[in-house]
Amino acid sequence: MVENRPWANFFAHTVLIIGVALVIFPVYIALVASTQAPGDLLRGTMPLLPGSHGIENYKLMWQSGVSTANSPPAAKMLWNSFVMAMAITVGKLSISLLSAFAIVYFRFRFRMFFFWLIFVTLMLPVEVRIIPTFQVVADLKMLNSFAGLSIPLIASATATFLFRQFFMTIPEEMLEAARVDGAGPLKFFKDILLPLSVTNIAALFVIMFIYGWNQYLWPLLITTDPNYTTIVMGIQRMTAEENPQWHLVMAAVVMAALPPVLVILFMQRLFVKGLTETEK
Amino acid sequence: MQTKRMTFPGKWLPFALLAPQVIITLIFFIWPAGQALYQSLLREDAFGLRTTFVGLENFVRLFRDGAYLNSLSVTVVFAVGTTLLSMTVALLMASTVNRMIRSRSTYTTLLVWPYAIAPALAGVLWWFIFNPSIGIVPYMLEMVGYRWNHRNSGSDAMLLVILAAAWKQISYNFLFFLAGLQSIPQSLLEAASIDGASPFKRFWTIVFPLLSPTTFFLMVVNVVYAMFDTFGIIHTTTQGGPAQSTNILVYKVYADGFVGLNLGSSAAQSVILMVIVVVLTVIQFRFIERRVNY
């Protein structure tokens, strides 16, 4: 700040507090709604203060879900989301680390060709090629499975690029020293590259976990079996009912939003690093 | 493209390392994209018994189809609205937070978490607070004499999806604007201040021009977000309605293909979307090169 103006500070705080309040508002309403008794939300006026039925709503949602909407218990759906998100994250990180290692530390034929092949995936979001991709997964008999949920989303140009950029900044001497000491490529990768990349891996982990957790269209299409329903699509099923039970829907929304929000809040530094570096 | 000066020898190892990534890319990216291209040139008869090669007819039909042209213009309105709204709010927040010293990190924490919320959940949240019969916002609007109904009114529905989409994107824009603002040298602002420039004048003549690389970058990212990542918002709220007024292109590809089962047309739409993504990605990358030199 260049000069001190008390009224400007006051004004700035006011703007920020209003802004933060508006950003929090939808989630606050969800919290309030999730603590109301079943009929309370339908009386026409939405209460603005939390009710007293929070624990029972969350317990009901956690243990039994909404069977009329074909929506399994939230505990099950959260677990499915977690498995899918972890599979996508770990898968993306492993294949990207390996291919970046190959591209930076080896000279081989068609290196540029492979580099561009990976680059192209950046340009094909799943929403755009949704029907042919669905057909491929159906032909491979991967519908209604965790493999079908995660593997098609694993290829990632951004992670490969990020690791490539990072490997390029690692001093040449590392490799020279390793080779003088007789380390082979895999030993170099395991004992030198991986430990050096820990921060980058963690930052990308945060971003990709959120990406995986928030997948919506893909699970919606390829799973029909409630055993594989993820929480985000389970909520859509509950809202699609004739008369949605909003107090339970909102309890599920809060539970679905909590894991990724907590990840961001507790790993904010890594999150910001991951976000700014993947978009470079 | 450069490698290290010294590399490992190895004939098969690099291919083995690349194999997982390349195989997945070929099966789930290149092959489906090729299929989309191929199907976009075919037309199935009503019973799905015969397919005939029709050349570019699917594309010609699309551009003569009022519904598709409508979807294009709806997408433009939606993308521009979302980008403008979320970037304006984010810039206001970022430049205000940037003034703060002690409270900066608290405000940042309070503003970044919506990034974690899935677009589909953002849709459900905003759908709920704008619900015409039980939502809180229509109740308040009623008091000032406006009858909100996104089930009948196309403009209400559009406003709703723009709000939901922009809300989720504020945190992203905020972080990039804040980083951009922090890289502006304080000495410039101090010099201007000594010359008597007011805070507004300093913002418009120094801060805003220096932020322009960040702004352009964010504009491209936001348009990409609004066009391709907002499927969940549309699907959980308006489902393209009322009367196609929020039927954006990605939603239409899905609806025509899976609900309408019009594969040729849906494939042609996929191809057009791919062309749009490629163009936007190229713009983004060309721009980033300039940003580095800047």
Side-chain angles (χ1 to χ4, degrees), chain B residues 214-229:
Chain B
T214 313
T215 312
F216 280 118
F217 163 77
L218 283 178
M219 267 162 72
V220 178
V221 172
N222 276 271
V223 168
V224 172
Y225 160 79
M227 288 189 70
F228 302 106
D229 294 341

mmCIF file with all atom_site columns, all heavy atoms in Angstrom, chain B residues 214-229:
data_model
loop_
_atom_site.group_PDB
_atom_site.id
_atom_site.type_symbol
_atom_site.label_atom_id
_atom_site.label_alt_id
_atom_site.label_comp_id
_atom_site.label_asym_id
_atom_site.label_entity_id
_atom_site.label_seq_id
_atom_site.pdbx_PDB_ins_code
_atom_site.Cartn_x
_atom_site.Cartn_y
_atom_site.Cartn_z
_atom_site.occupancy
_atom_site.B_iso_or_equiv
_atom_site.pdbx_formal_charge
_atom_site.auth_seq_id
_atom_site.auth_comp_id
_atom_site.auth_asym_id
_atom_site.auth_atom_id
_atom_site.pdbx_PDB_model_num
ATOM 1   N N   . THR B 1 214 ? -2.090  -10.977 -17.869 1.00 0.00 ? 214 THR B N   1
ATOM 2   C CA  . THR B 1 214 ? -2.910  -11.859 -17.026 1.00 0.00 ? 214 THR B CA  1
ATOM 3   C C   . THR B 1 214 ? -4.357  -11.840 -17.492 1.00 0.00 ? 214 THR B C   1
ATOM 4   O O   . THR B 1 214 ? -5.012  -12.876 -17.573 1.00 0.00 ? 214 THR B O   1
ATOM 5   C CB  . THR B 1 214 ? -2.849  -11.397 -15.558 1.00 0.00 ? 214 THR B CB  1
ATOM 6   O OG1 . THR B 1 214 ? -1.492  -11.162 -15.221 1.00 0.00 ? 214 THR B OG1 1
ATOM 7   C CG2 . THR B 1 214 ? -3.440  -12.416 -14.632 1.00 0.00 ? 214 THR B CG2 1
ATOM 8   N N   . THR B 1 215 ? -4.851  -10.649 -17.810 1.00 0.00 ? 215 THR B N   1
ATOM 9   C CA  . THR B 1 215 ? -6.251  -10.531 -18.206 1.00 0.00 ? 215 THR B CA  1
ATOM 10  C C   . THR B 1 215 ? -6.536  -11.321 -19.476 1.00 0.00 ? 215 THR B C   1
ATOM 11  O O   . THR B 1 215 ? -7.524  -12.053 -19.544 1.00 0.00 ? 215 THR B O   1
ATOM 12  C CB  . THR B 1 215 ? -6.597  -9.045  -18.427 1.00 0.00 ? 215 THR B CB  1
ATOM 13  O OG1 . THR B 1 215 ? -6.119  -8.313  -17.308 1.00 0.00 ? 215 THR B OG1 1
ATOM 14  C CG2 . THR B 1 215 ? -8.091  -8.855  -18.548 1.00 0.00 ? 215 THR B CG2 1
ATOM 15  N N   . PHE B 1 216 ? -5.650  -11.199 -20.474 1.00 0.00 ? 216 PHE B N   1
ATOM 16  C CA  . PHE B 1 216 ? -5.880  -11.934 -21.720 1.00 0.00 ? 216 PHE B CA  1
ATOM 17  C C   . PHE B 1 216 ? -5.828  -13.428 -21.497 1.00 0.00 ? 216 PHE B C   1
ATOM 18  O O   . PHE B 1 216 ? -6.667  -14.184 -21.991 1.00 0.00 ? 216 PHE B O   1
ATOM 19  C CB  . PHE B 1 216 ? -4.852  -11.535 -22.788 1.00 0.00 ? 216 PHE B CB  1
ATOM 20  C CG  . PHE B 1 216 ? -5.196  -10.257 -23.458 1.00 0.00 ? 216 PHE B CG  1
ATOM 21  C CD1 . PHE B 1 216 ? -4.364  -9.163  -23.372 1.00 0.00 ? 216 PHE B CD1 1
ATOM 22  C CD2 . PHE B 1 216 ? -6.376  -10.137 -24.184 1.00 0.00 ? 216 PHE B CD2 1
ATOM 23  C CE1 . PHE B 1 216 ? -4.691  -7.972  -23.981 1.00 0.00 ? 216 PHE B CE1 1
ATOM 24  C CE2 . PHE B 1 216 ? -6.703  -8.948  -24.798 1.00 0.00 ? 216 PHE B CE2 1
ATOM 25  C CZ  . PHE B 1 216 ? -5.857  -7.860  -24.688 1.00 0.00 ? 216 PHE B CZ  1
ATOM 26  N N   . PHE B 1 217 ? -4.838  -13.839 -20.714 1.00 0.00 ? 217 PHE B N   1
ATOM 27  C CA  . PHE B 1 217 ? -4.715  -15.264 -20.403 1.00 0.00 ? 217 PHE B CA  1
ATOM 28  C C   . PHE B 1 217 ? -5.996  -15.774 -19.742 1.00 0.00 ? 217 PHE B C   1
ATOM 29  O O   . PHE B 1 217 ? -6.560  -16.792 -20.140 1.00 0.00 ? 217 PHE B O   1
ATOM 30  C CB  . PHE B 1 217 ? -3.505  -15.465 -19.492 1.00 0.00 ? 217 PHE B CB  1
ATOM 31  C CG  . PHE B 1 217 ? -3.487  -16.780 -18.787 1.00 0.00 ? 217 PHE B CG  1
ATOM 32  C CD1 . PHE B 1 217 ? -3.114  -17.924 -19.459 1.00 0.00 ? 217 PHE B CD1 1
ATOM 33  C CD2 . PHE B 1 217 ? -3.850  -16.878 -17.448 1.00 0.00 ? 217 PHE B CD2 1
ATOM 34  C CE1 . PHE B 1 217 ? -3.104  -19.148 -18.817 1.00 0.00 ? 217 PHE B CE1 1
ATOM 35  C CE2 . PHE B 1 217 ? -3.846  -18.093 -16.801 1.00 0.00 ? 217 PHE B CE2 1
ATOM 36  C CZ  . PHE B 1 217 ? -3.472  -19.225 -17.490 1.00 0.00 ? 217 PHE B CZ  1
ATOM 37  N N   . LEU B 1 218 ? -6.474  -15.026 -18.744 1.00 0.00 ? 218 LEU B N   1
ATOM 38  C CA  . LEU B 1 218 ? -7.671  -15.461 -18.031 1.00 0.00 ? 218 LEU B CA  1
ATOM 39  C C   . LEU B 1 218 ? -8.890  -15.465 -18.946 1.00 0.00 ? 218 LEU B C   1
ATOM 40  O O   . LEU B 1 218 ? -9.769  -16.312 -18.810 1.00 0.00 ? 218 LEU B O   1
ATOM 41  C CB  . LEU B 1 218 ? -7.928  -14.566 -16.826 1.00 0.00 ? 218 LEU B CB  1
ATOM 42  C CG  . LEU B 1 218 ? -7.036  -14.834 -15.619 1.00 0.00 ? 218 LEU B CG  1
ATOM 43  C CD1 . LEU B 1 218 ? -7.349  -13.866 -14.494 1.00 0.00 ? 218 LEU B CD1 1
ATOM 44  C CD2 . LEU B 1 218 ? -7.221  -16.263 -15.116 1.00 0.00 ? 218 LEU B CD2 1
ATOM 45  N N   . MET B 1 219 ? -8.939  -14.514 -19.893 1.00 0.00 ? 219 MET B N   1
ATOM 46  C CA  . MET B 1 219 ? -10.090 -14.492 -20.795 1.00 0.00 ? 219 MET B CA  1
ATOM 47  C C   . MET B 1 219 ? -10.180 -15.791 -21.582 1.00 0.00 ? 219 MET B C   1
ATOM 48  O O   . MET B 1 219 ? -11.251 -16.389 -21.678 1.00 0.00 ? 219 MET B O   1
ATOM 49  C CB  . MET B 1 219 ? -9.995  -13.307 -21.755 1.00 0.00 ? 219 MET B CB  1
ATOM 50  C CG  . MET B 1 219 ? -10.716 -12.077 -21.227 1.00 0.00 ? 219 MET B CG  1
ATOM 51  S SD  . MET B 1 219 ? -10.200 -10.579 -22.050 1.00 0.00 ? 219 MET B SD  1
ATOM 52  C CE  . MET B 1 219 ? -10.940 -10.792 -23.621 1.00 0.00 ? 219 MET B CE  1
ATOM 53  N N   . VAL B 1 220 ? -9.044  -16.245 -22.099 1.00 0.00 ? 220 VAL B N   1
ATOM 54  C CA  . VAL B 1 220 ? -9.055  -17.493 -22.873 1.00 0.00 ? 220 VAL B CA  1
ATOM 55  C C   . VAL B 1 220 ? -9.454  -18.661 -21.965 1.00 0.00 ? 220 VAL B C   1
ATOM 56  O O   . VAL B 1 220 ? -10.322 -19.464 -22.306 1.00 0.00 ? 220 VAL B O   1
ATOM 57  C CB  . VAL B 1 220 ? -7.679  -17.749 -23.518 1.00 0.00 ? 220 VAL B CB  1
ATOM 58  C CG1 . VAL B 1 220 ? -7.704  -19.059 -24.276 1.00 0.00 ? 220 VAL B CG1 1
ATOM 59  C CG2 . VAL B 1 220 ? -7.309  -16.615 -24.433 1.00 0.00 ? 220 VAL B CG2 1
ATOM 60  N N   . VAL B 1 221 ? -8.830  -18.725 -20.776 1.00 0.00 ? 221 VAL B N   1
ATOM 61  C CA  . VAL B 1 221 ? -9.124  -19.838 -19.868 1.00 0.00 ? 221 VAL B CA  1
ATOM 62  C C   . VAL B 1 221 ? -10.601 -19.839 -19.474 1.00 0.00 ? 221 VAL B C   1
ATOM 63  O O   . VAL B 1 221 ? -11.246 -20.885 -19.430 1.00 0.00 ? 221 VAL B O   1
ATOM 64  C CB  . VAL B 1 221 ? -8.227  -19.750 -18.616 1.00 0.00 ? 221 VAL B CB  1
ATOM 65  C CG1 . VAL B 1 221 ? -8.661  -20.777 -17.587 1.00 0.00 ? 221 VAL B CG1 1
ATOM 66  C CG2 . VAL B 1 221 ? -6.781  -19.969 -18.997 1.00 0.00 ? 221 VAL B CG2 1
ATOM 67  N N   . ASN B 1 222 ? -11.149 -18.658 -19.235 1.00 0.00 ? 222 ASN B N   1
ATOM 68  C CA  . ASN B 1 222 ? -12.547 -18.570 -18.826 1.00 0.00 ? 222 ASN B CA  1
ATOM 69  C C   . ASN B 1 222 ? -13.502 -18.966 -19.940 1.00 0.00 ? 222 ASN B C   1
ATOM 70  O O   . ASN B 1 222 ? -14.520 -19.600 -19.684 1.00 0.00 ? 222 ASN B O   1
ATOM 71  C CB  . ASN B 1 222 ? -12.881 -17.148 -18.362 1.00 0.00 ? 222 ASN B CB  1
ATOM 72  C CG  . ASN B 1 222 ? -12.498 -16.931 -16.923 1.00 0.00 ? 222 ASN B CG  1
ATOM 73  O OD1 . ASN B 1 222 ? -13.275 -17.185 -16.023 1.00 0.00 ? 222 ASN B OD1 1
ATOM 74  N ND2 . ASN B 1 222 ? -11.274 -16.502 -16.688 1.00 0.00 ? 222 ASN B ND2 1
ATOM 75  N N   . VAL B 1 223 ? -13.165 -18.581 -21.174 1.00 0.00 ? 223 VAL B N   1
ATOM 76  C CA  . VAL B 1 223 ? -14.027 -18.971 -22.289 1.00 0.00 ? 223 VAL B CA  1
ATOM 77  C C   . VAL B 1 223 ? -13.996 -20.489 -22.441 1.00 0.00 ? 223 VAL B C   1
ATOM 78  O O   . VAL B 1 223 ? -15.039 -21.133 -22.612 1.00 0.00 ? 223 VAL B O   1
ATOM 79  C CB  . VAL B 1 223 ? -13.594 -18.251 -23.585 1.00 0.00 ? 223 VAL B CB  1
ATOM 80  C CG1 . VAL B 1 223 ? -14.290 -18.859 -24.788 1.00 0.00 ? 223 VAL B CG1 1
ATOM 81  C CG2 . VAL B 1 223 ? -13.919 -16.770 -23.487 1.00 0.00 ? 223 VAL B CG2 1
ATOM 82  N N   . VAL B 1 224 ? -12.796 -21.081 -22.321 1.00 0.00 ? 224 VAL B N   1
ATOM 83  C CA  . VAL B 1 224 ? -12.694 -22.537 -22.401 1.00 0.00 ? 224 VAL B CA  1
ATOM 84  C C   . VAL B 1 224 ? -13.517 -23.179 -21.286 1.00 0.00 ? 224 VAL B C   1
ATOM 85  O O   . VAL B 1 224 ? -14.279 -24.121 -21.505 1.00 0.00 ? 224 VAL B O   1
ATOM 86  C CB  . VAL B 1 224 ? -11.219 -22.994 -22.311 1.00 0.00 ? 224 VAL B CB  1
ATOM 87  C CG1 . VAL B 1 224 ? -11.129 -24.513 -22.185 1.00 0.00 ? 224 VAL B CG1 1
ATOM 88  C CG2 . VAL B 1 224 ? -10.450 -22.523 -23.525 1.00 0.00 ? 224 VAL B CG2 1
ATOM 89  N N   . TYR B 1 225 ? -13.385 -22.634 -20.095 1.00 0.00 ? 225 TYR B N   1
ATOM 90  C CA  . TYR B 1 225 ? -14.155 -23.156 -18.955 1.00 0.00 ? 225 TYR B CA  1
ATOM 91  C C   . TYR B 1 225 ? -15.653 -23.076 -19.237 1.00 0.00 ? 225 TYR B C   1
ATOM 92  O O   . TYR B 1 225 ? -16.379 -24.061 -19.093 1.00 0.00 ? 225 TYR B O   1
ATOM 93  C CB  . TYR B 1 225 ? -13.801 -22.366 -17.694 1.00 0.00 ? 225 TYR B CB  1
ATOM 94  C CG  . TYR B 1 225 ? -14.830 -22.461 -16.591 1.00 0.00 ? 225 TYR B CG  1
ATOM 95  C CD1 . TYR B 1 225 ? -14.894 -23.584 -15.772 1.00 0.00 ? 225 TYR B CD1 1
ATOM 96  C CD2 . TYR B 1 225 ? -15.744 -21.431 -16.368 1.00 0.00 ? 225 TYR B CD2 1
ATOM 97  C CE1 . TYR B 1 225 ? -15.838 -23.673 -14.766 1.00 0.00 ? 225 TYR B CE1 1
ATOM 98  C CE2 . TYR B 1 225 ? -16.687 -21.515 -15.366 1.00 0.00 ? 225 TYR B CE2 1
ATOM 99  C CZ  . TYR B 1 225 ? -16.739 -22.638 -14.570 1.00 0.00 ? 225 TYR B CZ  1
ATOM 100 O OH  . TYR B 1 225 ? -17.677 -22.729 -13.584 1.00 0.00 ? 225 TYR B OH  1
ATOM 101 N N   . ALA B 1 226 ? -16.113 -21.905 -19.673 1.00 0.00 ? 226 ALA B N   1
ATOM 102 C CA  . ALA B 1 226 ? -17.554 -21.722 -19.869 1.00 0.00 ? 226 ALA B CA  1
ATOM 103 C C   . ALA B 1 226 ? -18.072 -22.636 -20.977 1.00 0.00 ? 226 ALA B C   1
ATOM 104 O O   . ALA B 1 226 ? -19.189 -23.139 -20.914 1.00 0.00 ? 226 ALA B O   1
ATOM 105 C CB  . ALA B 1 226 ? -17.859 -20.267 -20.188 1.00 0.00 ? 226 ALA B CB  1
ATOM 106 N N   . MET B 1 227 ? -17.232 -22.878 -21.986 1.00 0.00 ? 227 MET B N   1
ATOM 107 C CA  . MET B 1 227 ? -17.716 -23.683 -23.110 1.00 0.00 ? 227 MET B CA  1
ATOM 108 C C   . MET B 1 227 ? -17.685 -25.169 -22.827 1.00 0.00 ? 227 MET B C   1
ATOM 109 O O   . MET B 1 227 ? -18.538 -25.908 -23.313 1.00 0.00 ? 227 MET B O   1
ATOM 110 C CB  . MET B 1 227 ? -16.885 -23.384 -24.360 1.00 0.00 ? 227 MET B CB  1
ATOM 111 C CG  . MET B 1 227 ? -17.170 -22.025 -24.936 1.00 0.00 ? 227 MET B CG  1
ATOM 112 S SD  . MET B 1 227 ? -16.396 -21.819 -26.521 1.00 0.00 ? 227 MET B SD  1
ATOM 113 C CE  . MET B 1 227 ? -17.371 -22.932 -27.530 1.00 0.00 ? 227 MET B CE  1
ATOM 114 N N   . PHE B 1 228 ? -16.690 -25.633 -22.055 1.00 0.00 ? 228 PHE B N   1
ATOM 115 C CA  . PHE B 1 228 ? -16.510 -27.078 -21.972 1.00 0.00 ? 228 PHE B CA  1
ATOM 116 C C   . PHE B 1 228 ? -16.658 -27.666 -20.578 1.00 0.00 ? 228 PHE B C   1
ATOM 117 O O   . PHE B 1 228 ? -16.924 -28.846 -20.444 1.00 0.00 ? 228 PHE B O   1
ATOM 118 C CB  . PHE B 1 228 ? -15.140 -27.469 -22.544 1.00 0.00 ? 228 PHE B CB  1
ATOM 119 C CG  . PHE B 1 228 ? -14.972 -27.035 -23.953 1.00 0.00 ? 228 PHE B CG  1
ATOM 120 C CD1 . PHE B 1 228 ? -14.165 -25.962 -24.279 1.00 0.00 ? 228 PHE B CD1 1
ATOM 121 C CD2 . PHE B 1 228 ? -15.661 -27.673 -24.960 1.00 0.00 ? 228 PHE B CD2 1
ATOM 122 C CE1 . PHE B 1 228 ? -14.048 -25.538 -25.585 1.00 0.00 ? 228 PHE B CE1 1
ATOM 123 C CE2 . PHE B 1 228 ? -15.544 -27.261 -26.261 1.00 0.00 ? 228 PHE B CE2 1
ATOM 124 C CZ  . PHE B 1 228 ? -14.738 -26.191 -26.579 1.00 0.00 ? 228 PHE B CZ  1
ATOM 125 N N   . ASP B 1 229 ? -16.455 -26.882 -19.532 1.00 0.00 ? 229 ASP B N   1
ATOM 126 C CA  . ASP B 1 229 ? -16.487 -27.470 -18.193 1.00 0.00 ? 229 ASP B CA  1
ATOM 127 C C   . ASP B 1 229 ? -17.809 -27.248 -17.481 1.00 0.00 ? 229 ASP B C   1
ATOM 128 O O   . ASP B 1 229 ? -17.941 -27.570 -16.314 1.00 0.00 ? 229 ASP B O   1
ATOM 129 C CB  . ASP B 1 229 ? -15.358 -26.886 -17.326 1.00 0.00 ? 229 ASP B CB  1
ATOM 130 C CG  . ASP B 1 229 ? -14.005 -27.283 -17.856 1.00 0.00 ? 229 ASP B CG  1
ATOM 131 O OD1 . ASP B 1 229 ? -13.954 -28.256 -18.614 1.00 0.00 ? 229 ASP B OD1 1
ATOM 132 O OD2 . ASP B 1 229 ? -13.018 -26.618 -17.510 1.00 0.00 ? 229 ASP B OD2 1
#
